[in-house]
Amino acid sequence: MKFIAKFSVFIGGIILVLGIGAAILPGVTKNKHSEIAMAADNVNPLVKTETVYASTNAKPVRHYIGGGGEDEYVYQLLTYNAQGQARTLTFDAQWKLKPNKYLKISTKGQNVESWGKVARADVPSGVRQNLMMS
């Protein structure tokens, strides 16, 4: 019986630590540009998927040749969700982004799940104003 009680306390402690970590981690990873932050947000069940918008006026922060010989560009973009909350995201593209366009990005925290060009009219007006000021 003592073993079962100790084992239950041990398992309860692990669950408590994981729960606290899952609750705190999104605040720690926000606006971090590392693979670790992206991976942590991707597996954290408390981090929800959301849509954010960005302007394509930023220049790539890095250019390199990928494993298949293709060009790869790394971008860090200031993004806004529909509520006007800002977040900086890092993602790779296999081509240079055309300036003066808008992107609609699906994210799970710092992890970019998908992105694509979106018409100006499809960007919420408050978001467009924030993107023009930044």
Side-chain angles (χ1 to χ4, degrees):
M1 274 319 237
K2 284 185 179 184
F3 173 76
I4 293 173
K6 287 182 180 182
F7 185 71
S8 297
V9 168
F10 175 74
I11 294 299
I14 288 176
I15 291 170
L16 180 65
V17 167
L18 290 174
I20 291 171
I24 293 173
L25 200 55
V28 173
T29 60
K30 186 173 183 178
N31 295 328
K32 302 294 187 229
H33 307 289
S34 70
E35 295 286 331
I36 293 171
M38 292 176 204
D41 284 347
N42 195 36
V43 298
N44 188 339
L46 298 180
V47 176
K48 303 297 180 209
T49 299
E50 75 173 329
T51 298
V52 295
Y53 299 88
S55 165
T56 60
N57 290 330
K59 300 222 183 293
V61 294
R62 184 172 168 230
H63 170 249
Y64 64 96
I65 304 300
E70 72 282 357
D71 284 324
E72 294 279 344
Y73 299 91
V74 178
Y75 288 91
Q76 285 182 355
L77 299 177
L78 179 61
T79 66
Y80 292 91
N81 64 13
Q83 292 75 36
Q85 296 170 322
R87 160 172 260 157
T88 304
L89 292 174
T90 300
F91 70 95
D92 294 356
Q94 292 183 336
W95 58 85
K96 280 190 172 182
L97 299 176
K98 293 180 181 178
N100 303 314
K101 303 290 182 196
Y102 293 99
L103 298 177
K104 181 177 181 179
I105 304 168
S106 176
T107 70
K108 187 168 189 285
Q110 289 302 108
N111 186 55
V112 173
E113 295 185 335
S114 65
W115 60 274
K117 188 175 85 168
V118 66
R120 182 181 189 276
D122 293 334
V123 178
S125 63
V127 171
R128 270 196 319 263
Q129 289 176 337
N130 286 335
L131 290 172
M132 286 190 287
M133 289 188 288
S134 57

